[in-house]
Amino acid sequence: MKETQFLPRNYSNNIACGEVAWSSPSNIALVKYWGKKKYQIPQNQSISFTLDACKTKTKLHFEKKDQNNDGFSFDVIFEGAKNEGFKPKIETFFKRIDAYLPFLKTYHFTIETSNTFPHSSGIASSASGMSALALCLVDLEKQLIASDASLEEQDRSVEEDYFVKKASFLARLGSGSACRSIEGDIVVWGEHDEIEGSSDLYGVRYLEEVHENFKNYHDTILLVDKGEKQVSSTVGHDLMHGHPFAKERFGQAEENITKIKAILKSGDLKAFIALIESEALTLHAMMMTSMPYFILMKPNTLEIINKIWAFREETGLHIGFTLDAGANVHVLYPENEAEEIYEFINTELVAYCQNGHYICDRIGFGACKL
Ligand code: PMV
């Protein structure tokens, strides 16, 4: 699909006001996206587990404006209180998607949103937040297009496919990784020769064979630092322009998609851990070797990593970690070892979390309409 296919169709329904609501999850990348071209096009392919517990719930109330369709008009209510802080990001998002949803300026929106994970937990809410909002908007667009009751089953599934792709396409324009938050349980973003249907424009569900070992995979998120990041992802992505290792890194990510495809099929957990840990450390190595350089890990991030390595060595259990663009540690492990590993996390790792806080999550099935 090309960008032009997401341009609007005929809106034949006139809707004065109404409401839509969606819940959308966060995701954790296994092969990381770091570096982008214009229009949020990724420099390399990425693959992620969709999460189950960390979600944003968004209710979009819309009301036709009487006049003045020049600008965007919206209010944001975050966790029950009016919020001005999110408005600039949403305004930028609306500007980017205006061409694809030209009804935006004709409505006043009230965006009521909340997260299932604690506010300021250091967990990026942009993936779940932007995908939930994108889903609400595509849902509204669907209502504006007169539905054709005579549609055959096959055409209906084409419509559904379009809905999901457009939601992912728009979410990408809000925050790159958000395009991987529409569906579950594994999603690829970025065109790759070995992933059929993959695209730079939107995330696609990973439909290749996946071994039982990865069913119900756990992700315990250790909240090492709940503060605001010192360097935003936007700045970090930008620093990949002219980065001395950029070319090698983008090539490596492409190869890692090929490698992880074989791993997901074979169920080789040792190879899985080696790949995801290397990806996590490479992401942070890119930050440390950009100009200006920066470090998002904290002393406790390293303490946790070392503890995980020692425990793995000692027990032979398949515990591994990955990192986002922050200090928190995502501890990944299979369902059949969950009991012992969870016990270890509770007794040995929680001490390194800020106020002892962590979130138990696992691989999940994507967004849903509320
Ligand atoms: O979606 P952004 O622009 O916030 O970038 C996120 C990048 C990482 O989370 C570090 C990696 C990824 O692929 O999700």
Side-chain angles (χ1 to χ4, degrees):
M1 274 189 157
K2 298 214 168 71
E3 274 102 335
T4 49
Q5 279 166 284
F6 295 111
L7 287 170
R9 294 177 288 174
N10 236 349
Y11 297 149
S12 40
N13 284 346
N14 199 353
I15 306 178
C17 64
E19 225 168 61
V20 279
W22 280 81
S23 159
S24 193
S26 189
N27 69 76
I28 180 68
L30 306 169
V31 173
K32 310 285 181 182
Y33 145 63
W34 198 243
K36 61 183 171 189
K37 303 176 206 168
K38 236 177 149 188
Y39 308 117
Q40 306 269 97
I41 296 297
Q43 289 276 16
N44 65 263
Q45 305 85 346
S46 56
I47 185 167
S48 52
F49 280 167
T50 305
L51 296 179
D52 191 49
C54 294
K55 287 187 172 133
T56 297
K57 292 179 181 172
T58 297
K59 194 194 304 174
L60 182 75
H61 178 87
F62 48 91
E63 204 172 330
K64 206 91 200 211
K65 290 196 255 176
D66 295 336
Q67 53 194 30
N68 183 11
N69 293 343
D70 295 347
F72 303 113
S73 167
F74 62 96
D75 292 310
V76 183
I77 298 170
F78 179 62
E79 308 204 323
K82 212 165 177 179
N83 186 303
E84 295 297 319
F86 288 139
K87 287 187 90 174
K89 206 164 177 191
I90 295 175
E91 178 88 23
T92 305
F93 178 47
F94 279 178
K95 276 187 196 143
R96 286 185 191 158
I97 62 174
D98 189 33
Y100 303 100
L101 300 174
F103 60 82
L104 283 180
K105 286 185 183 142
T106 67
Y107 283 100
H108 173 76
F109 296 104
T110 306
I111 304 164
E112 232 180 296
T113 187
S114 61
N115 294 331
T116 58
F117 46 92
H119 181 44
S120 74
S121 56
I123 294 188
S125 56
S126 59
S128 53
M130 284 299 173
S131 55
L133 182 54
L135 281 157
C136 288
L137 292 168
V138 186
D139 198 336
L140 168 55
E141 177 177 59
K142 191 172 149 190
Q143 295 180 31
L144 294 172
I145 300 168
S147 70
D148 181 355
S150 67
L151 272 188
E152 299 285 333
E153 190 75 20
Q154 198 186 347
D155 296 331
R156 233 174 258 289
S157 92
V158 170
E159 285 291 305
E160 273 165 30
D161 184 60
Y162 179 80
F163 181 93
V164 165
K165 285 201 169 102
K166 184 152 182 178
S168 176
F169 172 84
L170 296 175
R172 186 196 98 238
L173 292 166
S175 166
S177 59
C179 78
R180 297 189 312 244
S181 273
I182 308 290
E183 293 183 284
D185 44 359
I186 305 177
V187 176
V188 174
W189 172 35
E191 199 179 327
H192 193 283
D193 285 350
E194 291 175 49
I195 309 286
E196 215 189 304
S198 56
S199 168
D200 285 350
L201 300 178
Y202 45 80
V204 292
R205 220 181 135 194
Y206 183 76
L207 294 173
E208 308 292 329
E209 198 179 331
V210 178
H211 194 277
E212 275 292 307
N213 283 351
F214 297 104
K215 298 270 144 68
N216 222 3
Y217 219 75
H218 290 246
D219 177 5
T220 301
I221 311 165
L222 305 178
L223 306 177
V224 170
D225 184 31
K226 302 198 225 164
E228 187 87 5
K229 282 188 288 197
Q230 299 111 318
V231 182
S232 71
S233 295
T234 311
V235 171
H237 286 295
D238 269 354
L239 291 172
M240 288 306 283
H241 292 291
H243 190 291
F245 307 133
K247 194 161 165 265
E248 286 73 13
R249 164 58 197 153
F250 302 145
Q252 178 198 45
E254 185 168 13
E255 280 168 27
N256 278 348
I257 296 283
T258 303
K259 284 188 187 157
I260 207 167
K261 188 178 161 184
I263 292 169
L264 289 172
K265 185 175 174 188
S266 68
D268 183 343
L269 291 178
K270 271 199 175 141
F272 177 73
I273 291 167
L275 189 136
I276 60 159
E277 291 189 349
S278 159
E279 272 290 322
L281 295 178
T282 301
L283 169 70
H284 284 257
M286 290 301 114
M287 301 171 189
M288 290 189 237
T289 49
S290 60
M291 193 54 82
Y293 43 82
F294 60 103
I295 300 179
L296 295 183
M297 287 189 278
K298 297 281 179 200
N300 280 353
T301 311
L302 294 179
E303 293 284 355
I304 290 168
I305 291 174
N306 282 310
K307 285 261 176 192
I308 288 174
W309 285 344
F311 179 73
R312 188 162 77 218
E313 179 75 29
E314 190 186 304
T315 61
L317 291 172
H318 297 96
I319 180 173
F321 72 87
T322 188
L323 306 166
D324 244 334
N328 297 335
V329 182
H330 289 247
V331 187
L332 298 181
Y333 48 100
E335 168 81 354
N336 65 347
E337 296 176 12
E339 217 170 296
E340 279 162 285
I341 293 176
Y342 186 66
E343 167 85 25
F344 160 70
I345 292 171
N346 249 310
T347 52
E348 300 282 332
L349 301 185
V350 167
Y352 299 102
C353 300
Q354 204 175 345
N355 307 324
H357 285 169
Y358 64 95
I359 298 170
C360 289
D361 212 330
R362 61 180 68 204
I363 193 164
F365 295 97
C368 65
K369 191 165 170 153
L370 297 172

